[in-house]
Amino acid sequence: MSALKVCIIGSGNWGSAIAKIIGKNTQKSLKFNPTVNMWVFEEQIDGRKLTEIINQDHENVKYLPGHKLPPNVVAVADPAETVNGADIIIFVIPHQFIPKICQQLTGHVKQGAIGISLIKGIDEGPKGLKLISDIIREKLGIEVSVLMGANIANEVADEKFCETTIGCKNPESGKIYKELFQTPNFRITVVDDCDTVELCGALKNIVAVGAGFCDGLGQGDNTKAAVIRLGLMEMIAFAKLFCKGPVVINTFLESCGVADLITTCYGGRNRKVAEAFARGGKTIEQLEKEMLNGQKLQGPQTSAEVYKILKQKKMVDKFPLFVNVYLICYEGKSIKEFITCLQSHPEHM
């Protein structure tokens, strides 16, 4: 069997941290072709193309400065060229860009290729909830798994120990992904409850915005603990309503669930920007531009998509935390109302 060729679609903070792991692991195993193409959205940095900087200096100076990427990771500016001949496609871009990138990849993906999405978000389709893995699956006609966990990119790049969860229905693909991603400091658990794993990755970003509101309002750790608990309740209730298959509650105890929720509510960009927003004076869009160096926020946009889905299903009243995050971010509702929504939250869902 010929060595499996791996490529990465995306090169932001998380994509570059993953490229560091993938680059090293493909060099170690005969199962994989050591050359890893990584699609890079071309930008000029101090008069040089970002692809050139990565290929010559082996560092993504914009999104993961201070970390050397393995020399076998090759930056490519054209998405179609990136996936040429690839057996495994790793998707790691902001979720709002996935329909466009799939359009660019259509007709260029190798027959029998498999994909794995590291993208934390959901979309609102004509029939309600649309998972990012569903969009990739439908547009490219490939098997798609997901990877979600308590994985702040800079800590992963620093090789600080963490865990992550892969949702994969095909046991053979699960073994391949475990070998491709696992390191002593990046421990993989594979489960077959893919939809729940993916929903956890998306929904926890909404809860993190709520945690940021708490910090901006000067509330304490007790309040943030309440946000985390109530947010987890809403995550479970949402999954039970919208997942296609049965929801395994144990999945919420994996890294993709409670661990990622806690990490994101104490660190991460959604919490940070939401705190600044709660202090007043600027919109979410302004703060994203000012604070994130070109990275994209996922929490507020996911709250907007969830709100549309809940409105369509006439279930807005059932998810006060999710809904109030949306109303505060986009509809001008007072930030002070956020604490009121916690006070009146139903005890059981």
Side-chain angles (χ1 to χ4, degrees), residues 217-256:
L217 291 167
Q219 299 290 323
D221 285 338
N222 293 339
T223 313
K224 195 185 280 192
V227 168
I228 292 170
R229 187 188 78 82
L230 296 170
L232 181 60
M233 280 172 61
E234 291 196 13
M235 285 167 64
I236 294 169
F238 191 93
K240 283 179 176 175
L241 282 171
F242 293 101
C243 276
K244 295 185 286 289
V247 171
V248 181
I249 293 299
N250 276 358
T251 304
F252 290 91
L253 300 177
E254 297 290 350
S255 182
C256 63

Side-chain angles (χ1 to χ4, degrees), residues 6-26 36-38 60 63-64 67-70 72-73 89-93 116-119 147-149 151-158 162-164 166 177 180-183 186 188:
V6 182
C7 77
I8 303 170
I9 296 294
S11 57
N13 188 231
W14 184 213
S16 298
I18 281 297
K20 197 174 167 186
I21 289 174
I22 299 296
K24 287 178 181 175
N25 281 355
T26 52
V36 177
N37 285 353
M38 177 174 73
N60 188 335
Y63 296 109
L64 195 68
H67 288 276
K68 285 292 179 188
L69 297 176
N72 59 314
V73 174
I89 307 170
I90 299 164
F91 294 88
V92 54
I93 56 174
I116 184 164
S117 170
L118 280 61
I119 299 168
L147 181 151
M148 307 280 152
N151 308 141
I152 290 175
N154 286 49
E155 293 184 16
V156 173
D158 284 334
C162 68
E163 301 174 307
T164 201
I166 289 178
Y177 289 133
L180 181 61
F181 285 97
Q182 184 150 276
T183 74
F186 193 63
I188 309 285

Side-chain angles (χ1 to χ4, degrees), residues 103-118:
Q103 202 176 345
Q104 291 173 284
L105 297 180
T106 301
H108 299 281
V109 174
K110 181 179 176 180
Q111 186 82 26
I114 59 174
I116 184 164
S117 170
L118 280 61

Side-chain angles (χ1 to χ4, degrees), residues 11-124:
S11 57
N13 188 231
W14 184 213
S16 298
I18 281 297
K20 197 174 167 186
I21 289 174
I22 299 296
K24 287 178 181 175
N25 281 355
T26 52
Q27 285 175 312
K28 286 177 193 169
S29 170
L30 294 173
K31 186 176 281 185
F32 304 107
N33 182 318
T35 301
V36 177
N37 285 353
M38 177 174 73
W39 175 62
V40 174
F41 178 76
E42 193 67 279
E43 302 176 62
Q44 292 283 328
I45 311 286
D46 298 329
R48 294 173 72 194
K49 289 180 178 176
L50 185 53
T51 50
E52 284 178 11
I53 295 170
I54 292 170
N55 289 334
Q56 290 166 12
D57 304 345
H58 307 298
E59 183 182 349
N60 188 335
V61 292
K62 178 158 187 184
Y63 296 109
L64 195 68
H67 288 276
K68 285 292 179 188
L69 297 176
N72 59 314
V73 174
V74 180
V76 181
D78 176 28
E81 188 188 332
T82 306
V83 301
N84 186 26
D87 299 288
I88 299 170
I89 307 170
I90 299 164
F91 294 88
V92 54
I93 56 174
H95 80 276
Q96 51 267 46
F97 301 141
I98 202 69
K100 185 183 176 187
I101 209 79
C102 285
Q103 202 176 345
Q104 291 173 284
L105 297 180
T106 301
H108 299 281
V109 174
K110 181 179 176 180
Q111 186 82 26
I114 59 174
I116 184 164
S117 170
L118 280 61
I119 299 168
K120 295 179 176 179
I122 53 172
D123 202 9
E124 179 251 342

